Amino acid sequence: MVENNTESLKTAYTISTDYSIGTITGISAADRSATIKAMSNPNAMASEFSKPGHIFPLHYNPGGVLKRVGHTEASVDFCKLSGKEPVAAISEIVLDDGRMARRDDLKILSKKWGIKMVTISDLNFQTSKINFKHDV
């Protein structure tokens, strides 16, 4: 991570990386998927990754969405709530015109595709209601 994070939302970026076993350039969907899968493997070794790369690991803020209302914290809190390992991959939904999808756009897509949608505020409310332990 950088020593002085000046990013507006204080997202805890680390050094970008690619999995170097069985991948080509790291940029394809298949290579990115392999990198994410390898990063979630607790037995993976640092020597199996090249830096810089095309996947940007993020650090979770202990305390989850109750301490930082961010997508990183929400993704890990969802994993923990479901009894899974606290490892998640997040991405942006891009609209046909190249803009990032916002909440109203996502509501439309959610209805169109029959996908349930919750907000970080919903998660924040639920975790505070059940006194959820966020620390990893």
Side-chain angles (χ1 to χ4, degrees):
M1 291 190 334
V2 296
E3 287 184 35
N4 182 25
N5 185 347
T6 59
E7 195 268 331
S8 64
L9 300 175
K10 300 296 183 217
T11 304
Y13 290 98
T14 63
I15 298 169
S16 62
T17 190
D18 288 327
Y19 189 53
S20 55
I21 299 174
T23 58
I24 302 169
T25 63
I27 200 166
S28 71
D31 285 359
R32 289 177 190 228
S33 177
T35 298
I36 292 167
K37 187 174 181 181
M39 288 175 67
S40 67
N41 179 353
N43 297 316
M45 309 272 293
S47 60
E48 297 171 345
F49 298 88
S50 57
K51 298 170 197 75
H54 296 89
I55 298 297
F56 295 84
L58 307 173
H59 275 279
Y60 168 86
N61 188 328
V65 295
L66 297 178
K67 294 290 183 183
R68 179 178 178 272
V69 183
H71 294 101
T72 305
E73 288 70 26
S75 65
V76 173
D77 283 356
F78 272 122
C79 291
K80 293 173 70 180
L81 279 167
S82 65
K84 303 296 182 188
E85 290 295 318
V87 177
I90 60 177
S91 64
E92 289 281 350
I93 304 295
V94 179
L95 300 174
D96 290 340
D97 64 6
R99 292 179 300 119
M100 291 188 304
R102 298 296 182 210
R103 184 178 306 180
D104 290 344
D105 302 312
L106 295 171
K107 284 181 182 177
I108 293 167
L109 292 172
S110 169
K111 286 182 182 179
K112 177 180 178 181
W113 296 103
I115 299 171
K116 294 188 184 298
M117 180 177 153
V118 297
T119 65
I120 294 174
S121 295
D122 295 332
L123 178 62
N124 192 320
F125 175 76
Q126 280 300 113
T127 57
S128 65
K129 192 168 95 172
I130 63 172
N131 197 22
F132 180 69
K133 301 291 185 211
H134 288 84
D135 295 334
V136 175

